[in-house]
Amino acid sequence: MNMTPLFSLLLTFFLIRMASSMNAQVEASKEFKVGDANGWRQPGENETDLYNQWAAKNRFHVGDSLRFHYTNDSVLVVEKFGYFHCNMTHPIFTFHNSNTIIDLDKSGPAYFISGDPDHCKKGQRLVIEVMGSHSTPHFHPFIAAPPVSYMAVSPSPLASSGESAPVTMVSGLLALVVTFATP
């Protein structure tokens, strides 16, 4: 039996599969202006939930950034306790430059307060939940795997643990290596 057409099929499949899995669709990082048109300011009497409402309308990911635009104020990055108690004694970072950009470099909650204790107590504080990066794999559904009977497939060691592995792609590569490594 001539193995050249089979090899061509397997090689083509492997190359397309590798290219599609490495070509992850990545959404661009975003810069969010905190408070939108309101900027970073002391909320009015009826606006004490201003920044919580703003945060609820947005999704933040690792790689995004927050722009705080303010006058005669500051931004403090604090721990959870500092946020809930407007405690400014041990901030992680303090900014006073009127136009602060903070890169979101890890997932999880992030806490920000005004450097003015009165402003913070009146609602000028922000907590956000930062999700993982924007990167999401994009696979082409029209690419079908070649029949398994043509490849030397062995069971995945991860199959019993409930985890998945790209068995078809790895097995295809191994089959190609074995085919051309044997004299």
Side-chain angles (χ1 to χ4, degrees), residues 2 19 24 31 35 54 57 72 74 85 90 97 102 104 110 117 127 131 140 143 147 158 167 175-176:
N2 185 356
E31 181 180 286
W54 175 82
K57 290 188 261 180
N72 300 321
S74 59
H85 299 284
H90 296 92
N97 66 1
I102 298 175
L104 304 175
V127 60
M131 296 182 277
H140 299 283
I143 299 174
L158 298 176
V167 176
L176 290 174

Side-chain angles (χ1 to χ4, degrees), residues 34-48:
V34 175
D36 293 327
N38 293 310
W40 184 243
R41 62 168 176 82
Q42 177 183 337
E45 283 187 37
N46 296 327
E47 299 179 307
T48 57

Side-chain angles (χ1 to χ4, degrees), residues 63-161:
D64 289 342
S65 59
L66 300 178
R67 178 182 294 271
F68 291 83
H69 185 72
Y70 51 93
T71 55
N72 300 321
D73 208 333
S74 59
V75 178
L76 279 65
V77 180
V78 295
E79 297 289 338
K80 185 177 184 176
F81 180 85
Y83 170 81
F84 283 106
H85 299 284
C86 292
N87 185 323
M88 299 159 203
T89 57
H90 296 92
I92 299 168
F93 295 106
T94 302
F95 302 95
H96 300 280
N97 66 1
S98 301
N99 195 24
T100 301
I101 298 174
I102 298 175
D103 295 327
L104 304 175
D105 58 0
K106 65 180 182 176
S107 60
Y111 303 94
F112 308 91
I113 62 174
S114 168
D116 182 315
D118 192 47
H119 289 195
C120 181
K121 289 174 185 169
K122 291 181 178 177
Q124 190 178 354
R125 54 185 167 173
L126 169 68
V127 60
I128 63 170
E129 184 66 31
V130 181
M131 296 182 277
S133 67
H134 288 284
S135 179
T136 55
H138 179 72
F139 296 103
H140 299 283
F142 61 88
I143 299 174
V148 176
S149 62
Y150 290 109
M151 299 187 305
V153 178
S154 61
S156 167
L158 298 176
S160 63
S161 68

